[in-house]
Amino acid sequence: LKYLVLANMLAVSKINPFDSPEAKPYKDNPDIVAMTDLLTSYEQNKIKQFENILQRNRRSIMDDNFIRLYIEDLLRTIRTQVLIALIKPYTRITIRYISEELNIPMEDVESLLVTLILDNRVQGYIDQMNQVLNLKDIVKQDARYNAINKWCTQIKGLQ
C-alpha cells in the first residue's frame, strides 16, 4: 500500500488510494499513516509540511530502499507544483525569494526554472545577472490576439 501511495504521487494522480474498501483496514498502520500524511501535504502543495513529515518519519519512509529511490523525484514534483503556483501572480520574481519559499538552494531553483521554461510550462526567461525570473504576460497577449482576430473577422464581413 505504501508503494501504491508513492506511485499515485509520482503519477500526479487525483485518485485517492484510500478510497477503496480494501485499503481502509490498513489506514491506521504507522507506516501507512506516514505515507497518508505525505499524500495529504503533497495534494495540498505544502512543501514545508511534506519535508517535515519526511524528517519525522525517516525510519519508516527513508529506510525503505524502494521508496528512497523515488523520494528525489517526488520532491522535485512537489517543488515544481509549488513553484508554478508561487510564480503565477507575478511578472517578475527574484530567484532568492523562490529559494526561500521552497527551502532549497538558488542553484536548484534555477535548474527547476530552466526545466519548466524548456518544457513550456513556464513562459518567461531568467535574468542571471540580477537573479530574477521575468514572466511573459500571456493573458494580455491572448486578449490582444482575440481583439485583433475579432477585428479581422468584422473587416472580412464588410467586404
Side-chain angles (χ1 to χ4, degrees), residues 144-159:
R144 270 187 243 145
Y145 174 77
N146 288 337
I148 292 170
N149 194 23
K150 185 177 177 182
W151 188 36
C152 289
T153 304
Q154 289 174 346
I155 290 174
K156 277 185 181 178
L158 294 174
Q159 293 175 350

Side-chain angles (χ1 to χ4, degrees), residues 37-38 40-42 44-56 78:
D37 292 345
L38 266 183
T40 302
S41 61
Y42 176 83
Q44 295 173 353
N45 285 337
K46 294 184 177 178
I47 187 86
K48 290 176 182 164
Q49 181 181 348
F50 188 88
E51 290 172 346
N52 287 338
I53 293 167
L54 281 177
Q55 290 296 328
R56 272 196 328 262
I78 191 168

